[in-house]
Amino acid sequence: MATSAVARETVFALRRQIAKIEGTLPERLEASAGAAPIDANVPSGDATPQNLTIVRHGLAVAPPDAFLRTGAEGLDTALSGGLPKAALSEIHGTATRDAGAVTGFALALVSLILKQGPRLPVLWIGTAEIFREAGFPYAGGLHALFGIEPEQLLFSEAPRLLDALWTAEEAARMTALAAVILEIRGSPQRLDLTATRRLHARAQNAGRPVFLLRQAGEPEPTAAPVRLVLSAAPSAARETIAGPLAGSIGRPAFTVSIGKSRTALPGQFTLEWNPHEHVFKERRIGEERAKNPVPVVSASRRGKDPAAASGAVLAFPAVEPPALGDQPSPRERAAHRRPRRAG
C-alpha cells in the first residue's frame, strides 16, 4: 500500500508539472492521493465540496470563472467556456490588412475584462515597426465603441523586439494591470517557445491575461493554449425601427477561426461587436449581409451576363466621329510622326 501511495503521488506530481507547461490550470489537479476524480455522470448531490475536479481525457475541467466569456455562445462553447484569463492567448492576423481587425478584437476583449473586474490600466507593448505600420488606437473611439477611457490604455514603444519581450515579461507579473498586450509583426526568431513559455508562466502566476497580437506572421508553435485567427467580416446593415437601413454600415464584424486549442476542435465563427452593450453576438448562418443597392460594375462581356451599353456622358458633350473629308493633310500627318523634342 505504501508503494502504491508513493507511485500515485509521483503521478500527480508529474501531472502538475505537465499542467504548468501546458497551461491547464494545475491547481485543479491538487487532488489528494486517495481521492478519485468525479465522473461526469454522477449526480451533483453525491459530490463532495473537496472533489470538484472532473477529468476528461486526461485534462481537468476548470471552473467557469477561469474563462473570459465573449458572449458568443458558439465560440465560448467551442473553447470550453471562453478564453483563459490566467494564460497567454494568441490573436493572429495573417496579413497586414488585418491589423485593424486584430486591434479591434483585442480592444473588445479588454472592454470585457474591464467590465467584469476592477478598472485597472492595460499596458500595450510593441516595437516602433509595428506602431508605424499598424498605428495606434484612436483615443476618441475608445470610449464610444469599447467604454475604455484613454488614460486606462498605456503604450510602451520598444526600439527592439528583445526590449519588448523583456517589458512584457516584467509587466505580466504585475497584478496592478488588468491585462498585458504584446504586438509583434512578422515571424521573428526570438519569439520562440522559450519566450512564450515565460510569458505564459508569468500570466499564470499573476492571474492576469496576456494577449499576443501577431501581425502578418506565419503560424508557428507557441506556448499559448489558444490561438485565434482574425480577419475583418462584412458588416450587416444598420438596424432601425423600420428595419435594416439599405446601404448603411452596421456594427463591426470579425471572422474568428480557432487555429489552435487544447480543448476545442478547429472552427470558424462570425462575431459582431455591440458598442452599446459591450458584448459580442454571433452571426448565424442565414443572417447574411443585406444586399447593397448601390450599382456596381457590370460583368465582363465574356461572361454569361454581358455588360449593358454605356449611357450618355454628362460631364462632356458628345463628340461626333470625323467625316471622311476631315482627314488630316499629309503635312499634318507627317508632323505627328516626327519625334518629340525633349527641350
Side-chain angles (χ1 to χ4, degrees):
M1 296 297 295
T3 306
S4 177
V6 172
R8 191 178 295 109
E9 284 293 340
T10 304
V11 171
F12 271 100
L14 291 175
R15 291 180 62 189
R16 284 193 292 268
Q17 187 66 22
I18 295 173
K20 289 181 180 180
I21 298 175
E22 294 184 346
T24 55
L25 298 172
E27 62 272 10
R28 302 298 298 170
L29 299 177
E30 295 289 345
S32 59
I38 301 175
D39 186 72
N41 300 322
V42 177
S44 58
D46 298 337
T48 56
Q50 62 269 19
N51 294 329
L52 295 180
T53 303
I54 303 175
V55 178
R56 298 175 181 171
H57 304 291
L59 296 178
V61 178
D65 57 352
F67 297 97
L68 175 64
R69 299 187 61 86
T70 63
E73 295 183 3
L75 180 60
D76 291 338
T77 303
L79 295 176
S80 301
L83 290 173
K85 291 182 180 179
L88 173 69
S89 299
E90 183 179 350
I91 305 174
H92 189 190
T94 56
T96 304
R97 62 176 176 270
D98 300 323
V102 173
T103 301
F105 188 81
L107 289 173
L109 295 180
V110 169
S111 177
L112 295 176
I113 293 172
L114 296 179
K115 186 170 63 173
Q116 293 181 1
R119 301 185 67 85
L120 299 174
V122 176
L123 181 60
W124 196 306
I125 307 166
T127 59
E129 176 190 13
I130 187 63
F131 287 138
R132 283 197 305 266
E133 186 69 28
F136 291 87
Y138 179 54
L142 291 176
H143 180 76
L145 294 179
F146 305 101
I148 303 174
E149 300 299 334
E151 59 269 14
Q152 289 182 296
L153 197 58
L154 309 178
F155 288 92
S156 174
E157 182 176 339
R160 300 177 304 167
L161 176 61
L162 186 62
D163 300 326
L165 290 173
W166 179 86
T167 306
E169 290 181 13
E170 294 299 318
R173 69 169 66 184
M174 299 176 59
T175 57
L177 296 174
V180 176
I181 300 175
L182 175 61
E183 190 173 10
I184 300 297
R185 175 175 170 80
S187 303
Q189 187 177 2
R190 291 187 178 275
L191 191 66
D192 53 6
L193 277 174
T194 302
T196 54
R197 282 190 185 119
R198 294 170 64 90
L199 290 173
H200 183 57
R202 299 291 175 86
Q204 285 184 303
N205 294 334
R208 296 289 190 272
V210 176
F211 299 115
L212 175 61
L213 309 188
R214 297 194 56 198
Q215 309 285 7
E218 296 294 332
E220 297 177 345
T222 61
V226 178
R227 176 191 294 140
L228 300 180
V229 182
L230 261 293
S231 62
S235 297
R238 183 175 300 177
E239 294 290 340
T240 62
I241 299 178
L245 183 60
S248 63
I249 300 177
R251 298 170 179 173
F254 309 89
T255 299
V256 183
S257 301
I258 302 178
K260 182 189 73 171
S261 177
R262 293 181 182 143
T263 58
L265 296 175
Q268 182 172 312
F269 307 87
T270 301
L271 307 185
E272 292 184 352
W273 174 252
N274 190 333
H276 305 290
E277 300 179 3
H278 300 156
V279 68
F280 282 108
K281 175 188 175 183
E282 183 178 354
R283 184 187 299 173
R284 302 294 180 180
I285 303 176
E287 296 180 3
E288 303 294 340
R289 186 175 185 267
K291 184 178 180 180
N292 191 353
V294 179
V296 296
V297 178
S298 303
S300 173
R301 287 185 179 273
R302 296 182 180 179
K304 297 181 180 180
D305 186 14
S310 60
V313 181
L314 302 180
F316 305 97
V319 178
E320 296 293 337
L324 294 177
D326 295 339
Q327 297 297 328
S329 63
R331 180 177 300 178
E332 293 174 345
R333 191 180 299 114
H336 288 285
R337 287 198 291 263
R338 287 197 297 270
R340 183 177 298 178
R341 294 183 300 176

